[in-house]
Amino acid sequence: MSKLAAQDKFLDLSDYGRTFGKFFANKLKNTSFTPIHVTLLFGLSGLIAIYLILINHYILAGLFIILKSGIDAADGELARLKKTPSYSGRYLDSVFDIVLNFMFLMAICYVSKTSIWYTFLAFIGIQLQGTLYNYYYVILRNKSVGGDKTSKIFEYKTPKALPGESQHSVDILFRIYTLVYGTFDKIIHALDKQAYKVKSFPNWFMTLLSMYGLGFQLLIIAVMLPMGWIELIVPFFIAYTVPIFLLIGIRKKLSNKNST
C-alpha cells in the first residue's frame, strides 16, 4: 500500500533511501524478520556512525548515516509487505530517530570546537524542521484517498493496538513518543493551526518542504563530515531553521489564494 494516492505523490528529497528500503524489505518478506527487527537494525547503523564520528572516520560515518536512512525506509515497507502495520513500530521508529539525532549532534560537538549550547539549539532546530515536514506530510497522507493513516495529525490520545501488537507496548511507546515530541508538535501546530483543514498541498511545495525531512537532514551531515566541514554543521542547522517561517507563510498564502 502506498502512503499517498497517485495524485498526491511528490518528489521527496528526503526519501532517497526508499529504493534500497524496498529492495531490503522484499528480501526479508518471506523470512522471520519483523519490521521491529529492521528498526533495531537501523538503530545499530546509527550507533556505528556515531562511533565512527568519535574516532574521526568521517567518510565511513557518512556512509553508515546514509545506510541508516535506507534501512529506516525498510521497516515500513516490510510492514506493508507483510500486512502487519503497528503503532508500536511507528512510535519506536520515531523515538529512535530523535535519540540518534541528539547523539549525532553530541558526537559532532565532542570532536569539534562547537559550543554545547549551540549544539542544543541546532538539535531544537533540526526537530522543528522535521516536525514541520511531518506535520504537513501526515496531513496530506490522512486526506489522501487510500493513503496511509497509521500516523495521526494530532497525537493526543493513545491509539487502540492493531492486530498482532500489545496494547501495553503501544501505551508505553506512545507515552515516550509524546514526551520527546510533544513540545515540538505543539510549537508547529501553534505556528500553523489551520493547516489540517487543507485538502491537499501542491506537489512542488511538498518537494521543497522535503528538504526538512530527516533523510535530507542526515544526507547534509553525511556530506559535510568527509568534506571537512564538521565545524559548520551546528551553525548550518541553526540557520537552516529560519526558513521554516517562510514555508509556513507560503502555505498560508496558498490557502488564501485557493479560497478566493
Side-chain angles (χ1 to χ4, degrees):
M1 181 182 70
S2 175
K3 290 185 178 182
L4 294 168
Q7 69 273 14
D8 293 320
K9 290 181 179 179
F10 61 94
L11 175 61
D12 189 342
L13 300 176
S14 73
D15 202 28
Y16 53 86
R18 185 64 51 185
T19 300
F20 174 80
K22 288 182 177 180
F23 169 80
F24 192 39
N26 273 290
K27 291 295 182 182
L28 298 177
K29 180 180 178 181
N30 297 316
T31 71
S32 59
F33 271 81
T34 69
I36 296 292
H37 291 146
V38 179
T39 300
L40 295 174
L41 188 59
F42 92 61
L44 177 61
S45 180
L47 291 175
I48 293 172
I50 290 163
Y51 172 73
L52 290 167
I53 292 172
L54 292 174
I55 61 173
N56 306 119
H57 288 321
Y58 298 145
I59 294 176
L60 281 176
L63 291 175
F64 271 92
I65 288 172
I66 292 172
L67 178 62
K68 181 265 181 191
S69 294
I71 300 174
D72 195 359
D75 54 5
E77 290 293 338
L78 186 60
R80 284 184 282 277
L81 284 173
K82 291 196 171 189
K83 298 181 180 179
T84 56
S86 72
Y87 289 111
S88 299
R90 177 256 190 276
Y91 294 134
L92 184 63
D93 184 299
S94 296
V95 170
F96 271 26
D97 280 336
I98 194 170
V99 171
L100 288 172
N101 282 354
F102 182 76
M103 293 177 70
F104 283 138
L105 288 178
M106 287 299 108
I108 290 167
C109 177
Y110 181 79
V111 299
S112 67
K113 299 176 182 178
T114 309
S115 159
I116 192 168
W117 299 112
Y118 282 126
T119 303
F120 274 115
L121 189 59
F123 171 72
I124 292 170
I126 282 177
Q127 292 310 128
L128 288 175
Q129 296 161 27
T131 300
L132 180 67
Y133 168 72
N134 288 331
Y135 181 43
Y136 290 157
Y137 188 30
V138 172
I139 289 172
L140 187 62
R141 283 161 58 178
N142 276 262
K143 298 294 180 71
S144 183
V145 177
D148 175 41
K149 295 177 176 57
T150 304
S151 299
K152 304 298 180 183
I153 299 172
F154 301 107
E155 301 275 6
Y156 295 146
K157 182 180 179 182
T158 307
K160 183 180 178 180
L162 294 170
E165 65 176 337
S166 161
Q167 185 64 55
H168 181 62
S169 297
V170 174
D171 292 344
I172 292 174
L173 287 167
F174 177 77
R175 292 192 192 102
I176 297 173
Y177 173 86
T178 53
L179 177 66
V180 296
Y181 281 102
T183 300
F184 299 111
D185 287 342
K186 289 175 182 176
I187 291 172
I188 294 300
H189 292 165
L191 290 172
D192 195 356
K193 295 179 180 179
Q194 304 302 313
Y196 74 95
K197 296 180 180 179
V198 177
K199 292 183 178 179
S200 185
F201 303 110
N203 291 347
W204 64 264
F205 175 76
M206 291 303 300
T207 294
L208 182 63
L209 186 67
S210 70
M211 294 175 68
Y212 279 151
L214 176 59
F216 200 80
Q217 292 171 329
L218 292 180
L219 181 62
I220 291 171
I221 294 174
V223 170
M224 293 183 77
L225 282 172
M227 294 292 289
W229 297 341
I230 192 167
E231 303 289 345
L232 299 177
I233 291 175
V234 164
F236 173 84
F237 279 106
I238 293 173
Y240 200 49
T241 306
V242 176
I244 69 173
F245 300 101
L246 175 61
L247 288 169
I248 291 171
I250 292 172
R251 203 290 304 163
K252 292 179 178 179
K253 190 172 183 64
L254 287 171
S255 292
N256 291 336
K257 183 179 178 180
N258 292 334
S259 62
T260 56

